[in-house]
Structures are given as C-alpha cells and as structure tokens.
Amino acid sequence: MNQRKNFQAWVFFALFLGIAAVLIPGRGMAADPIPIGILLPYTGPLGWVAACQTGADIARDEINAAGGVLGRQVQFFVADDEGKSDSAIAGEEKLININKAPAIIGPTSVTFRSVMPIAIKNKVVQISPTAGTTALDFVKEKYVFRTVSSDVVMGTGMVFEAAKRKYQKAALFFGDDESAQSIRGVLVPACKAAGIEIVGDVTFTQRQTSYRSELLSALKNKPQVIFFEADPQTSAVIFKQVTELKMAGDWIGTDFVSDQFLQATWPYSKGVGAVQPAAKTSPRLDAFAKEVEKRRGKPGIPVFTVNAYDAMIIMALAMEFAKKTDGESLAENIRKVANPPGTKVYSFAEGVKLFRQGQKIDYEGLAGPQNFDEYGNVVTSLGVFKIEDNQRKAIGFLDENDFGELLGKVRQLYATAQQKK
Amino acid sequence: MEGFLTFIISIATIVAIYSILTLALNIRWGFTGLLDFGIAGFFAIGAYTSAILTSPPSEELVFGVRHSLGFGIPFAGGVLAAAAAAALVAYLIGIPTLRLRGDYLAIMTIGLSEIFRYMAVNEKWLTRGSQGIRNLPRPFSGYSNLLDSLFYFLLVVVILFLLYLISQRMYNSPLGRVLKGIREDETVTEALGKRIFHFRMLAFISGAAFAGVAGSLWAHYSGSIMPHEFAPDITFLIWVSLTIGGSGNNRGAILGTLVLIGLFQQGTRFLPTIEGYTYLIPGLRLIAIGFMLILCLRFRPQGLLPEKAVRVEKGL
Amino acid sequence: MLALSIGFGIITGGVLALAALGLSLLFRTVKFINFAYGDVLALGAYLTFFFNFTLGLPLVLSALLGMVSTGIVGVIIHKAVVRPLREGVKAGPLTLLIATMGTAFIIRNAILIIWGPEPKMYNVATQEAMNLGPFLITPLQLMAIGISVLIMVLIYLLLQYTTLGKMIRATSDNIDLARIRGIRTEKVVVWTWLLSCGLAGLAGVMLGLMGAVDNHMGIEMLLVIFASVIMGGIGNPYGAVAGAMIIGIAMEVSSAFGLSEYKSALAYLLMGIILLLKPKGLFAR
C-alpha cells in the first residue's frame, strides 16, 4: 500500500512540474514586443525545410533595426511540428494561446491543413513560405496566405523547361507522400498541355534500400527526361543506383533538390537538374545572400528562405499600415500592402517612410511580386538549377512571362476537374 | 488565461482519446493476453471510416484520381460507423489469424496495420491518398474557442467514461473470467470446455471497436487526417502507457496514458531546443520512454496500478 | 526485364538472407523474437561508417570491426535486458519481445542523436554494373553475394562440426537437458547473441554499401526479415535463407512490373499467407 501511495505522489508531483514547465515560458514574455509564431518541421524527415527560418530572422532584424512595427520590436516564438499533425496542433495551440501570436509563419504542406482551422477560429493569420500543395489552391479563407507558389506553378515550370529542351518523352518518378504526389498530379495535365508523352510512371515508398526495379520500370521506354521528387535519404539511394545501372536520361526535380539533397547524393547526383522557387538575381538578392551566408556559415540560400523573408516583411508592413497588430487587422491589410495599386517598395523601411507620407504601397518581394489572389496564393519566380561541382548552380530563371501561357492551359485542365462539386 | 486553458484542454483531449486506445489494448492484451502490435491499424480504420462518411459530398480530382465519396452523415453516425467498421474488419481478419500463437500474432498484426497504411496511401479513390481528408466537422462549433474545445473535451471524456464502464463490466463478468483464464493458461481453460477461439475473437473485436471510436474522435479533433499519422509509433506509445499504468487494469490504462502521453510526450514538448542539437530532446524523450518500458517490466511489471488479485471462488 | 529484376531480387535476397539467418539462429536458442534486431542491423551499418568515414580505416577492416562491435552490443542486450528480466521476474517470451521493442527504440534514437537524420555513405566509390548473363550486377554486389554464401557455409560448418556448434544445437533443442549434460548454457547463449548480432551488423554494412546508411533502415528491414524467417520456418536457419531469397525476388519483380507502391506490403502479405496456410513455414523441420 505504501508503495502505491508513493507512486501516486510521484505522479502528482510530476504533473505539477509539467504544468509549471508550461506556465513558465508564458510568464517570461516581456510586455512590449509583438509575438510572431514560427511553426516548422525542425525534426522529422522534412528537417531540411526549417533552414528557411534564417529568412524570417533576417526580416525580423531588419524590421527591428528600422524601429520595429509601430515602435514595438518583433519577437519570434518557435514550435516544432515534427512533420506530424498532433505535434503541429499542439505547437499551434501553444503559439496562439500561450505566446499570443497574431500570426504564424509556416507550416509545411504536410501539416498545414491540420492547423488551418485553429488559426481561422482564433483569427490568427497563417502564412506559409513553403506549402506548395495543390490542396490549398482553391481554399478561400481570410486568414490563409502563402508566399510560395502552388505546385501548379512549379510543375508547369518543370514541364516548360523540359519542352524548352525539346524533350518529347518523359517519365514520372515520385514518392508516395503528399508533396511528391501533389507535383505529380500537376505534371500529368502539364505534360499533356505541352505535348510531352509520359512513357513511364512509378510511385514508390521512401526509405527503402533498393530502387533498381522501380528504376527499371520507369525507364524501360527510354524517356528523355525524368521528373522526380524524393526525400534526401531516398534520393541518395536512387541516384547511387542510377549511376550503378548506367541509366541515361535528364533528371528534373523539384524544391526537394536542396542543400541537404546535395549533401546526401553527391557525387551521384552530378548533372541532376531542378526547377524550384528561387529569387531572380539582383543586387538586392546578392546582399541578402551575403547575409544568409554570414548567418549560416556556408554559401547558398536554402530553398524557401526568400519566401520566409517576404512573409515577415509583408506582415510587418500590413501591421504598420493598419496601425494595429491583431490577426484580423493583419488579414485585412495584407493585400493592401502587397498588391497593386501602389508605389513599389522593396524593403520595410521604404514602406514605412511612404506610409508616413500617406502613400499606398505595393511590396515587391525577393521571391516574386507577391500579389495575393483571392485564395491567398501568389506566383513566384522559378529558378532552373543544375548540380555540378558539388553545388546547386542556377542556370536560368523562369517567371510568368515565360510559362504564363502554359500555366493558363494547365490551370484550365486542372481546375475543371478540381472545382466540380 | 483563456488561452492557457484552451491549450491545456487541447492536451487533455489528446490524452483522453489515447486513453480509449489504451483501454482497447487492455481488452486484447491486458484481459486476454493477445499480443497485438497493430492497434494503430484499427485506429486508422475508425478515423478513415468516420472521415469518409461524415465529409460533405464532393467530387474532386486528387492528384489526378477522381475521389467522390463523402456522405455528410452526422458526427454521431460517424463514431458508430467507425466502431462498426473496425469491428467488422477485426472479425474478418480474426478468422484466419487468431489461431496463431502469441509471437506470430504480434508480427502478423504489425504487418496488417502497415498494409492498411499502404492502402490508405495508395487507394486514392477511397482515402484521397497522402493528401488525406480534411474539413471534418465537429459537433459543437460556433461558440468561442475555449467553449468549443471544452465541449469537445467533455464529449470525449463522456465517451471515455462510457467505454470504461463497458470494459469494467466485461472484466467483472463471466466473460471476463474466461478471458483472464485464456491469458493465464489456455490449456486449462480449454479443458474446462471453453472455446478459446470464440473468446479471443470477442476480445479482438471489442478492442477493435474501442480503437475505432478513438480513431473517429481523433479525426474530428484533428480536423484532417493523413495516412502517415497512423504509423506504428502510436502502437508503441500505447503499449508503454498500458505497461506503465498497469496492464489488466482499466484505471491503470488511463493513468498510464496520462503519465506517458500527457506528461511525458506533450509536457516535454516545450523544453527549449538546444541550438545545433535539434534531435537531442525528441531523441532523448523516446530513449527515456524505451528505458521506462524496460525498467517497468523489470521492477514493476504490474504497473502503477496493479490488477486486483482475483479471489478464488468456491466451486469454480 | 524479368531476368534483370530477378537479378536484383537475388542481390536484395542475398543480404536479407544473412540477416534472416542471424535472427533464426538466435530464436532457436533463446526462444523469443528479438524486436531490436532491425535496429541492431542499422547500428552495425552506422558503426562501420564511424570506423570507415570518421576514423578513416579501410572498408574491409571497418566492416569487420563493425561486425564485432555489433555482436558485442548483442551481448550487452542479453546481459542488460534479457537476463535481468528472465531471472528477475521470470519473463516469458512475450514480455521479452516487448522489452526488445523498447530496446529497439533506444538504439534507434541513440543513432539519431549521435549521427543525425542525414543519410551517410561509406568512403567507397560506386561502381558501374556489368552484364553477367541476363543480369546487371556490380563487382561489389557479386562479392557481397559471395561473402553471404561463404558465411552461410561457415555457419553450417560451425554448427555441424565444431564443439561450439554442437553445444549451440544442444542448447537450442533442450536447454535443461544441455545444462544437465554439463554444457555451460550461459556461455552458449552469449556466443549465439554475438554471432547473431554480428550477422545483423554485416547485413547492415552490405545494405549500406548498396544503398545508404539511414536512420530508418532498421525498422524498414525488420518486418521484411521477419517475413523471411517466418516463410522459411522459424527456428530453421536455412529455411530462413530460402525465405529471404523468395521474398527478395518477389519484392523486386513486383516492383518492376508496376506494383512499386505496395513493395513492402507485398512482403507482409506473403508472410501472412504463409502464417495462415503453413504456420511452420515452407521448410518446417
């Protein structure tokens, strides 16, 4: 009996500690700063995505150096969604209810829709710099925004590039997860619109030790280009075996061709290409790149970093414009500062200056013009990359001027089916 | 304050839903000694059944595959259907597999739950594949955030309590005694004239029904479900919860879940992340859970709340 | 294309066979299923990576060291987890199974903390495959199959003709009888753990060489290894080898012909069918 009482005592003590541990972070908050939440998969298979936080950090520091929003400093609160729904929900609840954030940057496609209802319920802006899933294409919600374009755009870009290289036969090689399947779903109508024949189509489970048979199946009809997406671990195995089996073909990947991808697959990924969201070269981007390099200690801008930067700057401008920091005002004013009409501005300080003069602005982001449509979507520019010398080298850029026409066709093919209710 | 309460309630809701799962495992393993490593599979079946049936009817192209299910039935129907579906699948699977001996059953059940998961990923026409199903309705909405969460939590607690009562009833009934007999010594129980298979099936189906309810409640709590959420990790956590709490004892099951999921998993979520060592805390957490399991098995196998010793009845 | 995929299946099956052999041997002696086996395999791959990449030792030496270290880990599991449970609370096979599941999580997350989630590769260049009859295979893979076969033969010889082997067989058949006849069964069990986990480690290295060393390789392989062992008949090491080949080939051939989404599921399904129709496995003793 005593043993039992002891155990119960320990349980209650532990409970008490647990509650205390949760309370304390809440108490520690200073009265003045504006809390902004960041919800990303720091751990889990999508860990490489979280590197984009550097972009948000740079934005925050830029904003605070310019005096903050409405005189108040911006402070980040971070939660790890581990790439899973329950962790995402817990993290979201913490950021909203304990940290009192009126806006949250993130999360990724995988968990976005799990946390979306919570944000909407609480009148909190949910702005993702990474979620490209087509599932969000027609979600018309006041509080939902994305500063990265939908996979419809990226998929179209991939096909556009393939058509540019005069390919006529393609194969699809995608993992069975949502992100990969989302792109694949776009590529099918996109290839059709561009007149490219799909001669191989394989969906595989990630993290296996052999993809030889899958490769055999996909490449048996000799496609000229292979569109693919797989996580870095799986890609390591895939490209090793592509090299081993001497398989020919031009590989074009997605935003998953990141620095982590490179690190995992080099040297077998030599020559592998990708089309992914990237900012067009400009002096502004160069300066940004230097800052990113300084903070990370290595060269290169991780995917989505510019999108995270834009997300934070836009929110700060919206709050400054609205002269309020709550979620609802923020949601109502994002388009007012990011979309035309207005004088084009390229930084937070510029925008604030023009506000003081009573002018309307149109923020042009690093990732693209960042003009939100009715569904909270944008079309950002795409970069064409090739892996060479252990680096992801940018060999070109595509924007709406290039693929706009194809995009229109793809959207039509896609939307007709999508919107049938 | 309101925010803080909402947050606590959300964690409490997760604990309550998982407790139902632990009760389910308790019926199978705690009462009957069925080594079941596939409880996540029935959790998934419940979640998906409820999701498919309660979603508003729609036709969409999901990754190129037409999906047109969704019947818009009310929440309560969803929960009941989830239980029924899980029970039905358990029955079908049970017929061939429940004759297997303990360790084989364990492997078989994991295999099955993984097969279910692959089906959920690949059969896009039914489950919308990796995109999952979203916009799942909750029975109470339209009030304030705090009240909505509170109502849902209370609903889950009521269901948990009901299921607890049902399970207790089972335990204390002649049925329960047979199940315990099977757990302790099959040969003797068989010699007494009880058809082992029949009772194992009953335990298997009941556990499935409970798990199905838990799955349905989870789906509606979460608002959307995706196949990758139903990985065997859940099964492992529930196992440790049951072992720590006291296998065979329903109150132990709930307590174990509270300790493991509530305190340990959710509570440690908010320890600060150490720069450059992002895996340290989540990794340590799971290592600690592994150790807890082993230590518990070694030093307190009966768990925090031991099962009450059965009094020998005269004439049995 | 059928021939090619069968060839791939033989490669996969060959490595799987080593692992299945190890698990089967262990089960025969200790009479419970070691759920940590997959993660022990992964640990073998990672330890070899440590010797090869971090310490810069040549691959063969690293693999040997890796094998031995993994075997030692196996012994640690026996002494730290299994024995205390058996002696302390007279744990039966089901409890030990659960305990090894906990051990699996410990090993897996220790690997995660130490090495992180990025996949690792050994300091070995990938070779290009050559045509060998109707198959495509690299010299390294050929060697791997050769080593597997060699090891299987060695194990056979060990069990049949050496004193240790005879002691292992006696202990497997009837531990109490063996003890009565003066066999130091504790020593035998330790050696069996060493051998079994050493084999797992070797399988892990081979998998790592042919693909990548990845945090999840343990759990990925575990169920497929189970499927092989069960297919061959649990407790029958050579049956396990045959089972592994069958499963390996089935998985690769089905992937080549369009069923790649269900690759692992197929292995589980096959296992299920065998369990139901011939629970003692295809090659029951």
Side-chain angles (χ1 to χ4, degrees):
Chain A
M1 255 310 119
N2 247 336
Q3 225 182 355
R4 183 159 162 189
K5 287 214 178 115
N6 262 336
F7 264 97
Q8 285 177 337
W10 276 109
V11 168
F12 285 124
F13 181 58
L15 250 170
F16 172 70
L17 272 185
I19 297 188
V22 168
L23 265 179
I24 287 174
R27 284 280 153 77
M29 245 169 52
D32 212 27
I34 299 178
I36 299 282
I38 302 192
L39 183 65
L40 288 172
Y42 293 90
T43 61
L46 287 173
W48 54 273
V49 172
C52 71
Q53 191 194 329
T54 313
D57 290 341
I58 295 178
R60 171 201 59 197
D61 294 340
E62 186 184 308
I63 294 165
N64 287 343
V69 175
L70 302 168
R72 298 163 61 185
Q73 301 277 290
V74 168
Q75 185 184 16
F76 284 156
F77 288 93
V78 167
D80 177 8
D81 79 351
E82 298 174 24
K84 299 197 286 201
S85 270
D86 55 347
S87 307
I89 293 177
E92 180 94 355
E93 294 272 1
K94 168 192 173 265
L95 292 171
I96 295 179
N97 290 311
I98 307 256
N99 303 123
K100 309 276 186 238
I104 298 181
I105 299 179
T108 60
S109 302
V110 176
T111 52
F112 194 90
R113 280 168 304 120
S114 303
V115 301
M116 197 166 83
I118 303 179
I120 296 172
K121 198 80 183 295
N122 285 285
K123 299 201 169 65
V124 163
V125 166
Q126 193 89 39
I127 184 165
S128 176
T130 76
T133 175
T134 49
L136 288 172
D137 282 3
F138 297 104
V139 167
K140 204 170 185 173
E141 288 285 352
K142 182 168 154 180
Y143 291 92
V144 170
F145 297 89
R146 299 193 275 180
T147 51
V148 65
S149 40
S150 151
D151 288 339
V152 173
V153 176
M154 187 161 69
T156 305
M158 287 162 76
V159 170
F160 180 82
E161 182 64 26
K164 201 163 116 181
R165 297 182 193 177
K166 307 253 187 293
Y167 292 137
Q168 290 172 315
K169 299 206 286 182
L172 304 173
F173 202 68
F174 286 89
D176 59 12
D177 56 297
E178 158 154 42
S179 172
Q181 289 294 308
S182 172
I183 311 258
R184 184 191 160 282
V186 174
L187 288 176
V188 171
C191 284
K192 184 159 161 205
I196 296 182
E197 188 193 347
I198 297 179
V199 299
D201 183 359
V202 169
T203 301
F204 53 83
T205 326
Q206 314 240 29
R207 311 291 196 83
Q208 308 243 7
T209 47
S210 163
Y211 289 96
R212 300 181 182 92
S213 297
E214 284 88 338
L215 285 168
L216 202 60
S217 171
L219 274 65
K220 63 176 182 258
N221 292 323
K222 308 222 185 308
Q224 295 155 310
V225 60
I226 306 128
F227 298 115
F228 77 99
E229 178 173 294
D231 64 29
Q233 295 88 326
T234 310
S235 303
V237 180
I238 291 176
F239 286 102
K240 200 168 186 178
Q241 291 169 355
V242 166
T243 313
E244 175 193 303
L245 295 170
K246 293 180 287 208
M247 289 175 155
D250 194 359
W251 291 77
I252 295 186
T254 63
D255 47 16
F256 268 53
V257 178
S258 61
D259 287 334
Q260 274 224 9
F261 173 94
L262 182 59
Q263 196 200 9
T265 57
W266 181 260
Y268 307 108
S269 48
K270 186 164 133 104
V272 168
V275 172
Q276 51 185 237
K280 268 195 148 123
T281 352
S282 64
R284 183 183 174 198
L285 184 66
D286 286 340
F288 185 78
K290 282 207 183 65
E291 183 64 31
V292 171
E293 184 173 338
K294 199 170 86 178
R295 288 174 189 240
R296 295 183 65 231
K298 41 186 161 172
I301 307 180
V303 191
F304 308 128
T305 310
V306 291
N307 310 76
Y309 173 84
D310 285 344
M312 187 62 237
I313 300 281
I314 290 173
M315 287 205 292
L317 285 169
M319 286 194 211
E320 185 78 30
F321 183 71
K323 300 212 193 335
K324 295 216 201 120
T325 60
D326 62 287
E328 187 159 16
S329 313
L330 184 54
E332 285 165 0
N333 287 284
I334 282 186
R335 290 186 177 84
K336 295 197 186 142
V337 303
N339 292 7
T343 320
K344 293 203 195 300
V345 302
Y346 303 89
S347 77
F348 178 69
E350 254 185 275
V352 173
K353 196 168 86 174
L354 287 175
F355 286 153
R356 302 233 168 94
Q357 296 170 6
Q359 288 199 43
K360 263 203 109 233
I361 66 166
D362 170 14
Y363 173 73
E364 296 286 287
L366 271 174
Q370 302 289 12
N371 299 329
F372 297 97
D373 66 9
E374 50 184 328
Y375 300 108
N377 298 330
V378 296
V379 177
T380 50
S381 60
L382 299 171
V384 181
F385 291 83
K386 196 174 171 111
I387 293 188
E388 237 148 48
D389 302 325
N390 204 1
Q391 276 183 52
R392 251 181 339 140
K393 291 200 177 146
I395 57 174
F397 289 97
L398 303 170
D399 65 14
E400 227 168 340
N401 296 325
D402 302 302
F403 55 72
E405 189 187 326
L406 184 59
L407 182 61
K409 282 192 212 155
V410 175
R411 279 217 167 110
Q412 238 185 346
L413 279 172
Y414 206 71
T416 344
Q418 197 72 358
Q419 286 202 303
K420 236 161 96 180
K421 283 267 189 248
Chain B
M1 195 52 196
E2 180 173 318
F4 179 68
L5 272 177
T6 314
F7 173 69
I8 291 281
I9 291 177
S10 75
I11 296 199
T13 314
I14 297 179
V15 170
I17 295 178
Y18 275 124
S19 298
I20 299 181
L21 258 186
T22 318
L23 286 183
L25 187 63
N26 196 24
I27 295 179
R28 290 179 169 182
W29 167 248
F31 293 179
T32 321
L34 289 178
L35 199 57
D36 171 27
F37 283 159
I39 199 119
F42 293 98
F43 187 58
I45 292 176
Y48 268 98
T49 308
S50 196
I52 294 175
L53 291 178
T54 58
S55 307
S58 75
E59 185 168 313
E60 274 183 63
L61 209 61
V62 176
F63 304 148
V65 175
R66 187 141 268 145
H67 169 87
S68 55
L69 293 179
F71 299 92
I73 77 174
F75 173 77
V79 177
L80 289 171
L88 179 65
V89 172
Y91 176 68
L92 294 172
I93 293 183
I95 296 179
T97 60
L98 283 177
R99 299 184 194 278
L100 292 174
R101 68 176 219 219
D103 36 13
Y104 285 5
L105 184 64
I107 301 178
M108 191 70 216
T109 49
I110 304 189
L112 278 169
S113 94
E114 282 290 277
I115 293 181
F116 288 147
R117 195 170 60 81
Y118 280 114
M119 281 172 69
V121 167
N122 293 311
E123 301 305 316
K124 301 179 179 120
W125 59 274
L126 182 66
T127 61
R128 304 187 83 224
S130 331
Q131 198 183 96
I133 306 184
R134 58 191 153 97
N135 291 334
L136 297 172
R138 271 205 203 177
F140 311 106
S141 37
Y143 305 98
S144 82
N145 203 27
L146 174 62
L147 284 178
D148 281 358
S149 310
L150 188 63
F151 287 155
Y152 197 74
F153 171 63
L154 289 174
L155 176 68
V156 175
V157 167
V158 164
I159 295 183
L160 171 63
F161 188 60
L162 269 169
L163 291 175
Y164 168 77
L165 287 176
I166 295 178
S167 183
Q168 283 292 98
R169 206 67 177 72
M170 252 175 113
Y171 186 75
N172 290 321
S173 70
L175 167 66
R177 284 197 278 277
V178 177
L179 293 179
K180 272 174 277 177
I182 294 178
R183 182 188 71 194
E184 298 301 330
D185 193 328
E186 272 192 26
T187 332
V188 171
T189 320
E190 203 160 19
L192 286 173
K194 303 293 179 187
R195 282 142 46 232
I196 303 281
F197 179 74
H198 174 71
F199 287 98
R200 277 178 145 199
M201 178 63 94
L202 268 172
F204 198 60
I205 296 183
S206 318
F210 276 46
V213 170
S216 164
L217 290 173
W218 169 255
H220 293 277
Y221 165 73
S222 190
S224 74
I225 53 173
M226 286 184 270
H228 73 96
E229 296 171 23
F230 300 103
D233 291 21
I234 299 181
T235 306
F236 179 64
L237 288 173
I238 299 295
W239 264 97
V240 181
S241 302
L242 183 62
T243 309
I244 292 184
S247 149
N249 178 333
N250 279 327
R251 258 168 302 178
I254 298 180
L255 179 63
T257 316
L258 178 66
V259 168
L260 191 76
I261 308 278
L263 230 51
F264 218 74
Q265 201 205 32
Q266 304 288 344
T268 60
R269 222 182 258 302
F270 304 103
L271 293 173
T273 351
I274 304 176
E275 272 310 309
Y277 290 98
T278 32
Y279 307 100
L280 196 60
I281 305 280
L284 279 178
R285 187 197 300 152
L286 282 169
I287 290 184
I289 293 183
F291 269 113
M292 273 163 66
L293 177 64
I294 297 178
L295 289 171
C296 187
L297 284 173
R298 170 67 184 89
F299 295 111
R300 202 173 163 88
Q302 65 273 48
L304 284 171
L305 292 180
E307 196 181 353
K308 288 204 190 92
V310 176
R311 274 186 301 185
V312 176
E313 303 202 4
K314 288 191 249 203
L316 185 68
Chain C
M1 198 169 89
L2 178 66
L4 275 177
S5 57
I6 291 182
F8 297 150
I10 295 181
I11 298 173
T12 314
V15 175
L16 200 57
L18 268 183
L21 179 65
L23 184 64
S24 197
L25 265 178
L26 185 65
F27 179 83
R28 239 174 64 149
T29 310
V30 300
K31 305 277 190 277
F32 77 91
I33 298 180
N34 175 10
F35 252 76
Y37 197 69
D39 291 285
V40 166
L41 182 153
L43 187 62
Y46 271 94
L47 285 171
T48 307
F49 171 79
F50 168 71
F51 291 121
N52 174 248
F53 190 84
T54 318
L55 291 185
L57 300 172
L59 185 68
V60 175
L61 181 60
S62 307
L64 276 167
L65 286 171
M67 254 182 91
V68 171
S69 336
T70 317
I72 295 178
V73 169
V75 174
I76 295 177
I77 296 179
H78 166 69
K79 291 211 191 260
V81 176
V82 180
R83 243 182 73 177
L85 279 170
R86 272 216 224 258
E87 286 167 13
V89 288
K90 296 214 191 355
L94 297 186
T95 311
L96 289 170
L97 197 160
I98 302 173
T100 52
M101 193 178 231
T103 315
F105 266 79
I106 295 177
I107 297 180
R108 194 178 318 153
N109 284 281
I111 292 178
L112 179 65
I113 293 181
I114 300 175
W115 283 286
E118 292 94 17
K120 311 284 181 202
M121 294 218 237
Y122 298 123
N123 257 344
V124 163
T126 273
Q127 313 153 319
E128 291 192 340
M130 22 174 238
N131 288 310
L132 192 72
F135 305 131
L136 259 178
I137 191 167
T138 70
L140 187 71
Q141 287 161 349
L142 204 55
M143 203 169 65
I145 295 185
I147 294 180
S148 293
V149 171
L150 179 66
I151 299 230
M152 284 185 244
V153 168
L154 284 176
I155 300 260
Y156 175 74
L157 293 174
L158 176 87
L159 287 177
Q160 286 296 118
Y161 298 115
T162 66
T163 324
L164 177 62
K166 292 192 188 132
M167 291 204 286
I168 291 179
R169 280 189 293 138
T171 314
S172 312
D173 287 339
N174 190 327
I175 194 168
D176 297 312
L177 205 58
R179 231 178 257 139
I180 292 176
R181 306 226 355 252
I183 295 180
R184 300 217 316 276
T185 52
E186 171 62 13
K187 193 174 101 156
V188 169
V189 170
V190 167
W191 271 99
T192 312
W193 274 94
L194 191 68
L195 256 175
S196 162
C197 292
L199 281 172
L202 183 61
V205 174
M206 288 189 177
L207 281 174
L209 274 172
M210 300 200 290
V213 176
D214 167 59
N215 188 251
H216 273 248
M217 56 195 301
I219 195 172
E220 292 292 332
M221 296 308 302
L222 185 67
L223 283 180
V224 181
I225 298 175
F226 281 160
S228 312
V229 168
I230 285 176
M231 181 158 267
I234 202 160
N236 179 351
Y238 310 109
V241 169
M245 297 307 295
I246 296 176
I247 296 246
I249 294 178
M251 280 170 69
E252 292 293 327
V253 171
S254 66
S255 285
F257 288 96
L259 262 180
S260 48
E261 298 100 325
Y262 280 110
K263 192 174 188 177
S264 308
L266 183 70
Y268 311 151
L269 195 62
L270 285 174
M271 169 178 86
I273 295 177
I274 294 288
L275 270 177
L276 300 178
L277 297 179
K278 269 198 118 191
K280 291 215 189 292
L282 289 175
F283 310 101
R285 306 180 87 235

